[in-house]
Amino acid sequence: MLFNSLPFLVFLPIVFGLYWYVFNKQLRWQNCLLLIASYFFYGWWSWQFMALLALSTFLDYVYGFSVASPNRKKARLFLWLSVINNLGILAVFKYYNFFAQQFQLGFEMLGLHIHPVLLQIGLPIGISFYTFHGMSYVFDIYRGKQKPISNFIEYAVFVAFFPLLVAGPIERATHLLPQIQNRRIFNYRQAVEGCRLILWGMFKKVVVADSLASIADNIFNNYPEHNGITLVLGTIAFSFQIYGDFSGYSDIALGTAKLFGFELLSNFRFPYFSRDIAEFWRRWHISLSSWFRDYLYIPLGGSKDGKGKAVRNTFIIFLVSGFWHGASWNFIAWGFIHACGFLPLLLLDRNRTHVKEVVAADRLWPNGKELLQMFTTFCFVSFAWIFFRIHNMSNAVDYVKSIFTNYRNPAESLSYLSIFFYILPLLIIDWQFRRNERRLEISKRNVFAALSSRVVMYTIYTLTALFLLNAIIQKENMSFIYFQF
């Protein structure tokens, strides 16, 4: 079920009403409702894979008790069983065909011809997210940060909670399970914040991302026909398309969770205002990057064992992150590019320069240095997006070459300047809210500022409703990009 669809717009108020007005006095019934609603939400897309979700959930639930054993050999054994189970599911459904084809190519280079059996099955939606939920639960038990939970319903809600089920954020058991186990009381302010986030996320998706998608698709799919300036505009369009699409999903997920009394982990904190690549990765897909940091980078030794191992671990993290996104060399190349961009900061001990503060935290506008830093970081990130967007590596390289070599018919680029009609309002509003991505507070500096902010926000809400209504009528509900991962 898509957030930007009529079924969801019917589904959400029904579940909300039952949750707060029918089952509000019994926590266990609220959790049961959430579990049923989550599986219905997931099954709306493909009921065939509901059993896989249930099996993955049950296995990690069972493993958790053995991982908590004081016998460390037994605990380690079941920890590895959980890892093998979860990665095995990913390997079969997401990576088997890729490796089979690579082995075939390798044997053909040796003059041998094999014909591997390929799986003719679709990728279960959300598989990369809910398997990581399960592994984080087991890892935290092994580390002593989480006790095994006896109530299966509560654990199943943690894995399958519908706002985050198919595209995150990737939650931690230590953060979400206590909220599931404790009674929730309706909070009007929290619900209002949730509605604002949902509307803002819908604006990012249906107004910005979906509008830019048609432009980016036209340019990328026909790149040999376009000049270098147009290709640059196409790259910018895709950069904001994927940001609007994925951060829009995350905003809707966070907002929906707020309606039910939950606070999910932040997944985006205005990444295109980053001043270097390290800061970008602290602001982009935060739940994934922090997951790899805590469960892979640090166990590998992090940066404590010298620069050599820190460099090795950094490349491992980025390459694995790229491969997590898809079984294709272009994603690995995308991860490699980011590792190369991160490397100078690591070697110069500047990778933690911008850890906590936002850009121009106490000022209205950034200074010249900050503008240059944000511009160069955005250019680097956008360059890497080319390899993310084009799955064929040779085509991606040709696209980059064409940017610098194709100068014919520069006038054609004028027609694509319309992308800034969607990008500039997004940047302006993001800049205003950069200090707190959750609340989207209306400015109260003075009467004029407050009135102006309200006019802007209500205009956005109106545009969102019109675009969403048109998409539903035209049956053009575009799926979210990260559903494929």
Side-chain angles (χ1 to χ4, degrees), residues 195-226:
C195 289
R196 287 176 179 167
L197 276 172
I198 292 172
L199 288 168
W200 179 232
M202 286 287 189
F203 173 80
K204 287 181 178 179
K205 169 59 179 172
V206 302
V207 179
V208 177
D210 289 354
S211 298
L212 292 174
S214 58
I215 300 173
D217 288 347
N218 175 269
I219 295 173
F220 273 90
N221 295 340
N222 305 285
Y223 74 89
E225 303 173 8
H226 298 295

Side-chain angles (χ1 to χ4, degrees), residues 297-322:
Y297 183 76
I298 292 176
L300 286 173
S303 56
K304 294 182 179 180
D305 298 327
K307 281 289 191 288
K309 287 190 176 180
V311 170
R312 179 203 67 182
N313 295 340
T314 296
F315 273 89
I316 289 174
I317 287 296
F318 279 106
L319 292 176
V320 171
S321 177

Side-chain angles (χ1 to χ4, degrees), residues 148-188:
I149 184 170
S150 58
N151 188 313
F152 178 73
I153 298 296
E154 292 174 349
Y155 176 71
V157 171
F158 159 70
V159 175
F161 187 37
F162 73 87
L164 54 79
L165 176 57
V166 294
I170 301 171
E171 272 290 342
R172 307 297 180 87
T174 52
H175 179 256
L176 184 56
L177 270 175
Q179 298 183 66
I180 295 172
Q181 294 173 308
N182 294 323
R183 184 168 179 243
R184 278 86 64 184
I185 299 174
F186 182 76
N187 184 312
Y188 175 78

Side-chain angles (χ1 to χ4, degrees), residues 394-432:
S394 62
N395 288 348
V397 173
D398 286 343
Y399 189 102
V400 174
K401 287 181 179 178
S402 296
I403 290 177
F404 298 99
T405 60
N406 190 340
Y407 300 108
R408 69 176 186 271
N409 190 21
E412 74 154 2
S413 303
L414 295 175
S415 62
Y416 292 104
L417 293 177
S418 60
I419 64 172
F420 294 104
F421 175 79
Y422 303 100
I423 292 172
L424 290 178
L426 175 62
L427 282 176
I428 292 170
I429 296 168
D430 264 4
W431 182 260
Q432 180 180 353

Side-chain angles (χ1 to χ4, degrees), residues 363-391:
R363 289 174 278 118
L364 182 60
W365 302 109
N367 57 37
K369 179 183 177 181
E370 290 168 335
L371 276 173
L372 180 61
Q373 289 173 327
M374 289 189 292
F375 176 75
T376 54
T377 302
F378 175 76
C379 289
F380 181 87
V381 170
S382 296
F383 167 77
W385 283 134
I386 295 172
F387 292 85
F388 190 98
R389 173 62 175 75
I390 302 177
H391 288 202

